[in-house]
mmCIF file of all heavy atoms in Angstrom:
data_model
loop_
_atom_site.group_PDB
_atom_site.id
_atom_site.type_symbol
_atom_site.label_atom_id
_atom_site.label_comp_id
_atom_site.label_asym_id
_atom_site.label_seq_id
_atom_site.Cartn_x
_atom_site.Cartn_y
_atom_site.Cartn_z
ATOM 1 N N VAL A 67 -14.164 -1.021 -14.028
ATOM 2 C CA VAL A 67 -13.221 -1.960 -13.419
ATOM 3 C C VAL A 67 -12.436 -1.284 -12.301
ATOM 4 O O VAL A 67 -12.317 -1.794 -11.175
ATOM 5 C CB VAL A 67 -12.254 -2.518 -14.483
ATOM 6 C CG1 VAL A 67 -11.294 -3.512 -13.852
ATOM 7 C CG2 VAL A 67 -13.021 -3.176 -15.615
ATOM 8 N N THR A 68 -11.910 -0.092 -12.612
ATOM 9 C CA THR A 68 -11.121 0.648 -11.631
ATOM 10 C C THR A 68 -11.970 1.001 -10.421
ATOM 11 O O THR A 68 -11.533 0.860 -9.273
ATOM 12 C CB THR A 68 -10.575 1.949 -12.268
ATOM 13 O OG1 THR A 68 -10.060 1.635 -13.556
ATOM 14 C CG2 THR A 68 -9.506 2.577 -11.423
ATOM 15 N N THR A 75 -10.844 -2.883 -2.643
ATOM 16 C CA THR A 75 -9.537 -2.725 -1.995
ATOM 17 C C THR A 75 -9.715 -2.045 -0.640
ATOM 18 O O THR A 75 -9.156 -2.466 0.369
ATOM 19 C CB THR A 75 -8.585 -1.890 -2.870
ATOM 20 O OG1 THR A 75 -8.464 -2.522 -4.142
ATOM 21 C CG2 THR A 75 -7.213 -1.772 -2.236
ATOM 22 N N LEU A 78 -11.018 -4.469 1.797
ATOM 23 C CA LEU A 78 -10.064 -5.553 2.083
ATOM 24 C C LEU A 78 -8.954 -5.111 3.040
ATOM 25 O O LEU A 78 -8.482 -5.881 3.887
ATOM 26 C CB LEU A 78 -9.450 -6.031 0.763
ATOM 27 C CG LEU A 78 -8.357 -7.101 0.852
ATOM 28 C CD1 LEU A 78 -9.001 -8.478 0.895
ATOM 29 C CD2 LEU A 78 -7.393 -7.013 -0.314
ATOM 30 N N VAL A 79 -8.562 -3.848 2.913
ATOM 31 C CA VAL A 79 -7.435 -3.324 3.673
ATOM 32 C C VAL A 79 -7.693 -3.372 5.190
ATOM 33 O O VAL A 79 -6.780 -3.615 5.967
ATOM 34 C CB VAL A 79 -7.139 -1.872 3.210
ATOM 35 C CG1 VAL A 79 -6.303 -1.125 4.215
ATOM 36 C CG2 VAL A 79 -6.442 -1.897 1.870
ATOM 37 N N LEU A 86 -2.730 -7.552 11.168
ATOM 38 C CA LEU A 86 -1.306 -7.230 11.348
ATOM 39 C C LEU A 86 -1.083 -6.494 12.670
ATOM 40 O O LEU A 86 -0.094 -6.735 13.366
ATOM 41 C CB LEU A 86 -0.806 -6.375 10.182
ATOM 42 C CG LEU A 86 -0.504 -7.114 8.880
ATOM 43 C CD1 LEU A 86 -0.176 -6.139 7.766
ATOM 44 C CD2 LEU A 86 0.647 -8.093 9.061
ATOM 45 N N VAL A 89 -1.015 -8.996 15.458
ATOM 46 C CA VAL A 89 0.194 -9.821 15.473
ATOM 47 C C VAL A 89 1.387 -9.016 15.968
ATOM 48 O O VAL A 89 2.189 -9.493 16.776
ATOM 49 C CB VAL A 89 0.477 -10.378 14.057
ATOM 50 C CG1 VAL A 89 1.757 -11.202 14.061
ATOM 51 C CG2 VAL A 89 -0.685 -11.233 13.588
ATOM 52 N N GLU A 90 1.492 -7.776 15.478
ATOM 53 C CA GLU A 90 2.624 -6.915 15.823
ATOM 54 C C GLU A 90 2.242 -6.033 17.008
ATOM 55 O O GLU A 90 1.679 -4.959 16.846
ATOM 56 C CB GLU A 90 2.993 -6.061 14.609
ATOM 57 C CG GLU A 90 4.168 -5.130 14.831
ATOM 58 C CD GLU A 90 5.464 -5.881 15.048
ATOM 59 O OE1 GLU A 90 5.705 -6.845 14.311
ATOM 60 O OE2 GLU A 90 6.227 -5.509 15.965
ATOM 61 N N SER A 92 3.365 -3.748 19.000
ATOM 62 C CA SER A 92 4.316 -2.683 19.297
ATOM 63 C C SER A 92 3.826 -1.437 18.570
ATOM 64 O O SER A 92 2.782 -1.466 17.928
ATOM 65 C CB SER A 92 5.714 -3.059 18.801
ATOM 66 O OG SER A 92 5.748 -3.049 17.380
ATOM 67 N N TRP A 94 4.883 -0.318 15.975
ATOM 68 C CA TRP A 94 4.846 -0.597 14.530
ATOM 69 C C TRP A 94 3.505 -1.162 14.108
ATOM 70 O O TRP A 94 3.066 -0.943 12.981
ATOM 71 C CB TRP A 94 5.978 -1.541 14.137
ATOM 72 C CG TRP A 94 7.314 -0.945 14.453
ATOM 73 C CD1 TRP A 94 8.168 -1.339 15.443
ATOM 74 C CD2 TRP A 94 7.931 0.175 13.825
ATOM 75 N NE1 TRP A 94 9.272 -0.541 15.459
ATOM 76 C CE2 TRP A 94 9.161 0.406 14.478
ATOM 77 C CE3 TRP A 94 7.574 0.999 12.765
ATOM 78 C CZ2 TRP A 94 10.026 1.421 14.113
ATOM 79 C CZ3 TRP A 94 8.431 2.030 12.403
ATOM 80 C CH2 TRP A 94 9.644 2.226 13.071
ATOM 81 N N GLY A 97 1.472 1.608 13.527
ATOM 82 C CA GLY A 97 1.919 2.195 12.259
ATOM 83 C C GLY A 97 1.196 1.558 11.084
ATOM 84 O O GLY A 97 0.837 2.240 10.118
ATOM 85 N N VAL A 98 0.975 0.236 11.169
ATOM 86 C CA VAL A 98 0.226 -0.458 10.118
ATOM 87 C C VAL A 98 -1.191 0.110 10.032
ATOM 88 O O VAL A 98 -1.731 0.291 8.934
ATOM 89 C CB VAL A 98 0.183 -1.982 10.405
ATOM 90 C CG1 VAL A 98 -0.771 -2.675 9.451
ATOM 91 C CG2 VAL A 98 1.570 -2.587 10.303
ATOM 92 N N VAL A 101 -1.185 3.250 8.068
ATOM 93 C CA VAL A 101 -1.149 2.931 6.636
ATOM 94 C C VAL A 101 -2.538 2.517 6.151
ATOM 95 O O VAL A 101 -3.022 2.979 5.105
ATOM 96 C CB VAL A 101 -0.134 1.793 6.353
ATOM 97 C CG1 VAL A 101 -0.195 1.369 4.895
ATOM 98 C CG2 VAL A 101 1.273 2.253 6.722
ATOM 99 N N THR A 105 -4.818 4.470 3.437
ATOM 100 C CA THR A 105 -5.217 3.776 2.210
ATOM 101 C C THR A 105 -6.721 3.908 1.985
ATOM 102 O O THR A 105 -7.167 4.185 0.870
ATOM 103 C CB THR A 105 -4.833 2.285 2.289
ATOM 104 O OG1 THR A 105 -3.450 2.186 2.620
ATOM 105 C CG2 THR A 105 -5.085 1.586 0.977
ATOM 106 N N MET B 1 2.829 -14.463 17.697
ATOM 107 C CA MET B 1 4.291 -14.471 17.866
ATOM 108 C C MET B 1 4.789 -13.037 18.050
ATOM 109 O O MET B 1 4.492 -12.164 17.241
ATOM 110 C CB MET B 1 4.945 -15.101 16.621
ATOM 111 C CG MET B 1 6.313 -15.666 16.889
ATOM 112 S SD MET B 1 7.126 -16.044 15.331
ATOM 113 C CE MET B 1 6.525 -17.695 15.045
ATOM 114 N N ALA B 3 7.614 -9.897 18.417
ATOM 115 C CA ALA B 3 8.797 -9.540 17.631
ATOM 116 C C ALA B 3 10.024 -10.264 18.168
ATOM 117 O O ALA B 3 10.909 -10.665 17.410
ATOM 118 C CB ALA B 3 9.013 -8.029 17.674
ATOM 119 N N ALA B 15 9.545 -9.237 8.201
ATOM 120 C CA ALA B 15 8.227 -8.615 8.317
ATOM 121 C C ALA B 15 7.827 -8.425 9.772
ATOM 122 O O ALA B 15 6.661 -8.480 10.111
ATOM 123 C CB ALA B 15 7.188 -9.443 7.577
ATOM 124 N N ALA B 16 8.804 -8.221 10.662
ATOM 125 C CA ALA B 16 8.481 -7.954 12.065
ATOM 126 C C ALA B 16 8.919 -6.539 12.412
ATOM 127 O O ALA B 16 9.785 -5.975 11.753
ATOM 128 C CB ALA B 16 9.190 -8.956 12.967
ATOM 129 N N GLY B 17 8.343 -5.992 13.465
ATOM 130 C CA GLY B 17 8.704 -4.641 13.874
ATOM 131 C C GLY B 17 8.467 -3.641 12.757
ATOM 132 O O GLY B 17 7.398 -3.656 12.149
ATOM 133 N N PRO B 18 9.468 -2.789 12.450
ATOM 134 C CA PRO B 18 9.303 -1.797 11.377
ATOM 135 C C PRO B 18 8.948 -2.458 10.049
ATOM 136 O O PRO B 18 8.249 -1.872 9.219
ATOM 137 C CB PRO B 18 10.683 -1.140 11.283
ATOM 138 C CG PRO B 18 11.320 -1.394 12.593
ATOM 139 C CD PRO B 18 10.773 -2.692 13.103
ATOM 140 N N ARG B 20 6.902 -4.673 9.505
ATOM 141 C CA ARG B 20 5.458 -4.884 9.395
ATOM 142 C C ARG B 20 4.810 -3.701 8.677
ATOM 143 O O ARG B 20 3.924 -3.881 7.852
ATOM 144 C CB ARG B 20 4.863 -5.056 10.795
ATOM 145 C CG ARG B 20 3.554 -5.775 10.825
ATOM 146 C CD ARG B 20 3.680 -7.270 10.859
ATOM 147 N NE ARG B 20 4.255 -7.747 12.104
ATOM 148 C CZ ARG B 20 4.403 -9.023 12.397
ATOM 149 N NH1 ARG B 20 4.026 -9.947 11.560
ATOM 150 N NH2 ARG B 20 4.953 -9.387 13.525
ATOM 151 N N VAL B 21 5.252 -2.499 9.005
ATOM 152 C CA VAL B 21 4.718 -1.300 8.342
ATOM 153 C C VAL B 21 5.150 -1.295 6.876
ATOM 154 O O VAL B 21 4.357 -1.031 5.971
ATOM 155 C CB VAL B 21 5.209 -0.009 9.038
ATOM 156 C CG1 VAL B 21 4.698 1.220 8.315
ATOM 157 C CG2 VAL B 21 4.756 0.009 10.490
ATOM 158 N N VAL B 23 5.928 -3.833 4.987
ATOM 159 C CA VAL B 23 5.234 -4.847 4.209
ATOM 160 C C VAL B 23 3.803 -4.388 3.914
ATOM 161 O O VAL B 23 3.266 -4.672 2.838
ATOM 162 C CB VAL B 23 5.287 -6.221 4.936
ATOM 163 C CG1 VAL B 23 4.073 -6.504 5.754
ATOM 164 C CG2 VAL B 23 5.530 -7.327 3.939
ATOM 165 N N ALA B 24 3.205 -3.633 4.844
ATOM 166 C CA ALA B 24 1.848 -3.113 4.611
ATOM 167 C C ALA B 24 1.855 -2.122 3.446
ATOM 168 O O ALA B 24 1.010 -2.198 2.552
ATOM 169 C CB ALA B 24 1.305 -2.448 5.875
ATOM 170 N N VAL B 25 2.842 -1.218 3.451
ATOM 171 C CA VAL B 25 2.915 -0.214 2.378
ATOM 172 C C VAL B 25 3.223 -0.898 1.047
ATOM 173 O O VAL B 25 2.594 -0.621 0.024
ATOM 174 C CB VAL B 25 3.963 0.867 2.692
ATOM 175 C CG1 VAL B 25 4.014 1.898 1.572
ATOM 176 C CG2 VAL B 25 3.643 1.563 4.008
ATOM 177 N N VAL B 28 0.141 -2.596 -0.287
ATOM 178 C CA VAL B 28 -0.813 -1.658 -0.900
ATOM 179 C C VAL B 28 -0.334 -1.262 -2.297
ATOM 180 O O VAL B 28 -1.114 -1.245 -3.254
ATOM 181 C CB VAL B 28 -0.993 -0.405 -0.011
ATOM 182 C CG1 VAL B 28 -1.767 0.677 -0.756
ATOM 183 C CG2 VAL B 28 -1.716 -0.763 1.280
ATOM 184 N N ILE B 31 -0.830 -4.051 -4.819
ATOM 185 C CA ILE B 31 -2.213 -4.108 -5.296
ATOM 186 C C ILE B 31 -2.478 -2.953 -6.262
ATOM 187 O O ILE B 31 -3.019 -3.142 -7.351
ATOM 188 C CB ILE B 31 -3.206 -4.021 -4.111
ATOM 189 C CG1 ILE B 31 -3.068 -5.258 -3.213
ATOM 190 C CG2 ILE B 31 -4.642 -3.904 -4.615
ATOM 191 C CD1 ILE B 31 -3.869 -5.168 -1.937
ATOM 192 N N THR B 39 -5.504 -2.991 -15.710
ATOM 193 C CA THR B 39 -6.594 -2.267 -16.369
ATOM 194 C C THR B 39 -6.064 -1.488 -17.570
ATOM 195 O O THR B 39 -6.697 -1.470 -18.622
ATOM 196 C CB THR B 39 -7.313 -1.296 -15.407
ATOM 197 O OG1 THR B 39 -6.333 -0.573 -14.665
ATOM 198 C CG2 THR B 39 -8.213 -2.011 -14.446
ATOM 199 N N LEU B 43 -7.524 -2.721 -21.032
ATOM 200 C CA LEU B 43 -8.560 -1.900 -21.644
ATOM 201 C C LEU B 43 -8.079 -1.198 -22.910
ATOM 202 O O LEU B 43 -8.799 -1.118 -23.890
ATOM 203 C CB LEU B 43 -9.079 -0.860 -20.640
ATOM 204 C CG LEU B 43 -9.824 -1.440 -19.426
ATOM 205 C CD1 LEU B 43 -10.270 -0.327 -18.491
ATOM 206 C CD2 LEU B 43 -11.031 -2.263 -19.872
#
Side-chain angles (χ1 to χ4, degrees):
Chain A
V67 181
T68 315
T75 303
L78 176 86
V79 162
L86 282 173
V89 178
E90 181 66 43
S92 70
W94 300 109
V98 171
V101 174
T105 307
Chain B
M1 203 192 273
R20 202 85 67 176
V21 178
V23 96
V25 180
V28 169
I31 295 172
T39 45
L43 294 179

